[in-house]
Amino acid sequence: MNFTRWSARLPGTQRRAAARTDSSSTALPSEGSVPAARAERLTDAASLVPAVDELPVREVLDRIPALVALVHGPEHRLAYVNDAYVAAFGVRPAGEPARDALPELAEVGLLPLLDQVLRSSKPRTVKSRKAPGGRSYTFTCTPVEVSATPEGGGVLIFAADVTDHAEAAERLRASERQQRETAVTLQRSLLPQELEEPDDLRVAATYQPGGTETAVGGDWYDVITLGGGRTALVIGDVMGRGVRAAAVMGQLRTAVRAYARLDLPPHEVLQLLDGLAMEIDANQIATCVYAVHDPNEGRLVYASAGHLPILVRDESGTVLRADEPTGPPLGTGGWMHSSGSVPLGPGSTAVLYTDGLVERRDEDLDEGIASLERALAGATGTPQVVCDRLVRSAGVTADHDDDVAVLVLQHPARTGPDSELFRNAALELLGGVEAAPRARAFASGVLTSWRFPPDLHDLGVLAASELVANSLQHGTPPMRLRLRRTDRRLIVEVTDGDDHLPRRRRAEPADESGRGISIVATIASNWGSRRTPGGGKAVWCEFALPRTT
């Protein structure tokens, strides 16, 4: 085939040639034009270099390093391949359909593209396709007019070797996958492997990392039993992505557990976390909700650092949104947080969550929270069932664009024989020293009615006596003795109006006091003290109940 002949019919070639002819024939000298002598020299030099249109096309195509092939007709019969194509895939038979003559194009799925180019007369490009032999090419298919063939139309296939770019891109993707796997592993290892199980609450949680194209964030949650029947619940979200966010999350979660042991009010815990977050990274902020449930109060006391509101569904199915108070995120510094409360009585369910559950690019955040409220209103069953239903209703899938953490807690409404395992009794300590024998008689009568074995009965009465005596000696009114039993433990608690917390110390032989807390700490499974919100303190101890078979 005469390639010089069909090259002149490539789209655009005739237009460019005509434009040059018109330009050369109509150009007039103007001011600042090239002097005549110089123009003659340029003309002589130009006459020594052949025009592009005069170059033999085959010689050009044979010398370029890219792969070139020409096919014509509806069956894409092979007309030409250049030397680079032959070097890459071997000699190819001319005149045969591309499906037979160019099987490598069929393997990369290029044959349908040839049909499109031939029908539309528009060029098409496919990027980075791996061909047989392991090399990667970017293919550009351009329509041409082939007047020497009956069909008249053909496709010029131009393949540029992009193997180095493809391998570099694959290495980058592999590195990103490895970093993501590292972040996911770190994230999951820093989350609680098993949630603590409070006596009075049923809890469940789930964590869903973002899709494969999304870097892992810093969402976390935790459940911390504080003793005395109280439980702390926390959920947070570190801004950012990747290993750094997961590492900051791990430090904050560890700090929350340490601060929780101080049994501070929620807003004071957030104040401590705020200072720590600034020390970890002044440019890193996080949102967090810290809440404490006390079964004696039937409420959830919480503080929020820029986090989304807690949702609570009561026994009738009504959902309450705990919007206030909400302070600034952790890491901003210099702000004061405050605590609020929301009812959480028997039969209630509360949900703590991160923004990945409700935030969408195409809708307002309040709409996402309202959708979650509607889903929670109709979600029944165990905490794990509720958790799964909320995640499904929010449309969270494996390729979700953000991390999602959800923590669900229920305060069960116990009836029948189960209610006998959860009992409360309280006595106001009025008067002076005569309150001590009254407290011992009350504790003895209550523990007897609860049918505790004699040894546990005696230990409970002794602990109540020591705590009451300590409160009468060092505390101020009002004073109260509270006994509480669950299916796992007996809790003895004494409250008074003085906020000085007791400490365990070694009493010298001549000391007349200082042994009460040591006695309690020796006989009880656990003990502790905390300041109460209205002023004063509470001192408590626990006894583990024998397991029934």
Side-chain angles (χ1 to χ4, degrees):
M1 177 176 288
N2 188 337
F3 285 92
T4 304
R5 181 178 180 183
W6 64 257
S7 67
R9 300 181 64 82
L10 288 172
T13 303
Q14 297 156 324
R15 292 194 298 273
R16 291 193 295 271
R20 285 194 294 271
T21 302
D22 295 341
S23 175
S24 61
S25 62
T26 59
L28 297 175
S30 61
E31 294 184 6
S33 61
V34 180
R38 185 179 175 188
E40 290 178 0
R41 289 196 300 271
L42 292 174
T43 303
D44 294 339
S47 65
L48 299 177
V49 179
V52 174
D53 290 342
E54 298 174 1
L55 292 176
V57 175
R58 177 159 189 158
E59 181 178 345
V60 174
L61 296 181
D62 281 343
R63 291 178 180 273
I64 65 175
L67 280 58
V68 179
L70 176 68
V71 296
H72 62 84
E75 294 185 353
H76 310 300
R77 294 185 179 276
L78 180 62
Y80 164 77
V81 291
N82 70 347
D83 293 343
Y85 200 106
V86 172
F89 298 114
V91 178
R92 291 293 180 261
E96 296 294 326
R99 185 174 301 278
D100 301 325
L102 305 173
E104 57 277 357
L105 299 187
E107 290 192 27
V108 298
L110 206 65
L111 297 185
L113 189 67
L114 298 180
D115 294 332
Q116 294 178 22
V117 171
L118 196 60
R119 287 195 304 267
S120 65
S121 297
K122 294 181 180 180
R124 295 286 189 271
T125 298
V126 293
K127 295 182 178 180
S128 191
R129 295 286 180 88
K130 182 171 286 189
R135 307 295 293 180
S136 296
Y137 299 91
T138 290
F139 294 90
T140 299
C141 301
T142 305
V144 296
E145 297 179 13
V146 187
S147 59
T149 62
E151 296 88 349
V155 179
L156 183 68
I157 303 165
F158 186 92
D161 191 331
V162 294
T163 303
D164 292 342
H165 297 285
E167 290 178 350
E170 181 57 35
R171 287 193 297 269
L172 179 60
R173 287 191 293 269
S175 175
E176 291 175 346
R177 285 194 299 269
Q178 184 177 7
Q179 290 183 11
R180 183 180 184 280
E181 291 172 0
T182 301
V184 170
T185 302
L186 176 61
Q187 176 89 346
R188 291 195 181 280
S189 66
L190 293 175
L191 290 173
Q193 304 305 302
E194 291 185 6
L195 292 177
E196 295 185 20
E197 298 180 359
D199 292 357
D200 294 273
L201 296 177
R202 298 293 177 263
V203 295
T206 186
Y207 170 74
Q208 175 73 49
T212 56
E213 301 300 323
T214 305
V216 175
D219 294 11
W220 94 92
Y221 55 83
D222 209 347
V223 178
I224 308 164
T225 52
L226 302 177
R230 301 166 74 247
T231 305
L233 306 115
V234 60
I235 194 164
D237 184 2
V238 177
M239 301 297 103
R241 294 285 187 270
V243 175
R244 177 60 181 168
V248 172
M249 176 274 289
Q251 295 177 76
L252 291 178
R253 176 177 174 257
T254 302
V256 168
R257 295 192 70 86
Y259 296 149
R261 299 306 176 192
L262 301 176
D263 218 338
L264 299 171
H267 66 276
E268 293 189 21
V269 172
L270 291 190
Q271 290 294 138
L272 294 173
L273 280 177
D274 184 36
L276 178 65
M278 292 189 65
E279 293 178 9
I280 294 174
D281 188 343
N283 299 317
Q284 190 84 54
I285 64 173
T287 64
C288 179
V289 167
Y290 181 84
V292 175
H293 177 255
D294 188 338
N296 296 316
E297 303 296 334
R299 302 188 69 82
L300 196 64
V301 180
Y302 69 92
S304 174
H307 204 78
L308 298 171
I310 300 172
L311 301 182
V312 179
R313 187 193 67 201
D314 62 20
E315 195 171 13
S316 65
T318 303
V319 177
L320 172 66
R321 183 189 301 190
D323 280 319
E324 299 294 341
T326 299
L330 304 177
T332 54
W335 297 88
M336 295 298 294
H337 293 83
S338 57
S339 295
S341 66
V342 62
L344 189 71
S348 298
T349 300
V351 178
L352 292 75
Y353 52 96
T354 57
D355 57 1
L357 185 67
V358 295
E359 190 173 33
R360 300 293 181 270
R361 291 190 179 93
D362 56 349
E363 71 176 26
D364 186 75
L365 181 60
D366 283 336
E367 294 179 5
I369 298 175
S371 296
L372 183 62
E373 289 179 347
R374 291 190 294 271
L376 177 60
T380 58
T382 66
Q384 189 60 59
V385 171
V386 173
C387 195
D388 294 340
R389 288 189 61 179
L390 295 181
V391 171
R392 286 196 304 271
S393 68
V396 177
T397 59
D399 58 352
H400 196 58
D401 61 357
D402 196 6
D403 289 22
V404 173
V406 184
L407 179 62
V408 175
L409 56 138
Q410 288 181 347
H411 188 185
R414 296 180 174 89
T415 58
D418 192 32
S419 64
E420 297 296 320
L421 301 177
F422 293 81
R423 306 286 292 274
N424 282 285
L427 174 68
E428 299 293 333
L429 300 175
L430 304 175
V433 293
E434 68 274 13
R438 245 192 347 263
R440 285 193 294 270
F442 173 78
S444 178
V446 169
L447 298 182
T448 299
S449 67
W450 289 350
R451 299 178 182 177
F452 281 175
D455 56 342
L456 187 57
H457 171 279
D458 295 342
L459 291 176
V461 171
L462 176 58
S465 176
E466 293 295 336
L467 292 181
V468 168
N470 190 73
S471 182
L472 290 172
Q473 183 175 358
H474 302 289
T476 58
M479 303 178 184
R480 172 185 286 187
L481 168 65
R482 175 181 286 149
L483 302 176
R484 176 174 175 77
R485 72 154 295 169
T486 70
D487 57 344
R488 304 176 191 173
R489 71 198 80 228
L490 165 67
I491 302 167
V492 181
E493 181 181 83
V494 175
T495 60
D496 64 57
D498 184 79
D499 60 2
H500 177 73
L501 299 180
R503 59 185 179 88
R504 186 179 181 182
R505 63 185 180 88
R506 182 185 297 275
E508 299 298 330
D511 290 345
E512 296 182 358
S513 63
R515 295 177 178 81
I517 294 299
S518 294
I519 292 173
V520 171
T522 301
I523 64 175
S525 305
N526 192 17
W527 79 281
S529 61
R530 70 179 186 279
R531 290 186 173 89
T532 52
K537 65 177 179 295
V539 185
W540 55 268
C541 65
E542 297 178 346
F543 296 89
L545 300 184
R547 293 183 176 275
T548 59
T549 57

